[in-house]
Amino acid sequence: MTTVRSTLPDDARKVACEALQDTLVDLLGLSLVGKQAHWNIVGPRFRSIHLQLDEVVTAARDFADTVAERSAALGVPPDGRPETIAKAFTLPAPQEGWVRDSDAVRVMVEALQDAVARLRERIDATEKADPVTQDLLISITAELEKQRWMFDAENFPR
């Protein structure tokens, strides 16, 4: 079997690809959380939050593709299988059934905040190992922070 060879030394590749795999899990899981809330949201702010949830889902899916391709380019096959995501995903998610608009906002703020915190750790971890991967993680963090801010603003005033 032919494998893709990395341009990085093995130790740097290991650090970068672990960060990428963990980010892939968070992004794919976040897209599922967003869709679950999107399909089940109810309440007076239904339409605006329903549409905003799709923005997060689109961003998460697009970034997941970019992250997976970066991992493949470094010679490590990304793992986005459902069982991998189900086993490793730990971000907050809505409960089963209808989701009140205020609960959807709360869950998204928490999930995005946790995802950003993890991304910041990965940014630090990849600083020396692979600045290219670090740059990708910085871009993702900026977008997820923007999305978190937009959902958090939905709850003002508390």
Side-chain angles (χ1 to χ4, degrees), residues 27 30 56 59-60 63 111-113 115-116 119 139-149:
L27 290 169
L30 189 60
V56 172
F63 282 132
L112 288 162
Q113 188 164 313
V116 164
L119 277 161
S139 297
I140 295 167
T141 301
E143 178 60 26
L144 295 187
E145 283 180 333
K146 180 180 106 177
Q147 292 294 334
R148 192 211 61 78
W149 157 64

Side-chain angles (χ1 to χ4, degrees), residues 41-99:
I41 189 168
V42 294
R45 296 181 294 163
F46 165 83
R47 182 155 174 75
S48 64
I49 296 170
H50 180 80
L51 295 173
Q52 189 175 349
L53 287 163
D54 262 347
E55 290 180 27
V56 172
V57 170
T58 298
R61 288 178 177 169
D62 289 348
F63 282 132
D65 190 51
T66 303
V67 163
E69 289 174 353
R70 176 71 185 151
S71 183
L74 293 177
V76 175
D79 189 354
R81 296 172 300 153
E83 60 270 22
T84 300
I85 306 309
K87 182 179 176 183
F89 184 74
T90 60
L91 292 176
Q95 294 183 356
E96 182 181 351
W98 301 118
V99 180

